[in-house]
Amino acid sequence: QVQLVESGGGLVQAGGSLRLSCVLSGRTFSMTAMGWFRQAPGKEREFVGTISGTGGTSYTGSGRFAISRDSAKNTVYLQMSSLKPEDTAVYYCAARNSRYSSSAPNDYQYWGRGTQVTVSS
């Protein structure tokens, strides 16, 4: 069965960096597009970025985030830099039954439980 476990969240000062990790089990990256989403208090779930089964990436307009993966560890990463208080949210890792990327939450079948990122002023 497919499982995802996020980690790496925490408290960071504005302007700092943080790397989130997501361990995928039950599927291979070559068959799977992975997405990162976030949800801030009182707001809708927001697309952050995605990496396709072939390794191509796309992002929302931030320009401060980057996605990478380590196939040997079956782990995908979200590298965040120049963090702002507005980035404070629960960050979710997701996987879909396709190698093709999507920015739509409904296209993803599997979700982690989330990891909290808090950026202080």
Side-chain angles (χ1 to χ4, degrees):
Q1 62 181 19
V2 178
Q3 294 183 343
L4 301 98
V5 181
E6 304 102 330
S7 63
L11 177 64
V12 63
Q13 295 185 43
S17 299
L18 203 62
R19 188 178 75 164
L20 307 183
S21 300
C22 174
V23 178
L24 171 69
S25 61
R27 293 182 66 90
T28 61
F29 282 140
S30 63
M31 299 172 59
T32 306
M34 304 288 295
W36 284 98
F37 298 81
R38 68 185 184 185
Q39 188 163 16
K43 296 189 176 182
E44 294 288 320
R45 184 169 49 186
E46 178 186 16
F47 171 73
V48 175
T50 182
I51 182 167
S52 74
T54 56
T57 58
S58 61
Y59 305 93
T60 188
S62 169
R64 298 176 290 110
F65 299 165
I67 296 174
S68 61
R69 68 187 185 189
D70 184 337
S71 295
K73 297 181 178 180
N74 232 38
T75 301
V76 64
Y77 304 96
L78 178 65
Q79 179 67 51
M80 305 184 291
S81 61
S82 301
L83 285 165
K84 305 174 181 179
E86 304 93 274
D87 296 318
T88 295
V90 177
Y91 284 71
Y92 296 93
C93 178
R96 62 183 305 223
N97 289 322
S98 173
R99 69 189 68 183
Y100 302 109
S101 297
S102 173
S103 61
N106 287 345
D107 285 343
Y108 291 81
Q109 290 76 45
Y110 313 103
W111 293 82
R113 297 178 67 183
T115 185
Q116 176 71 48
V117 173
T118 303
V119 184
S120 62
S121 302

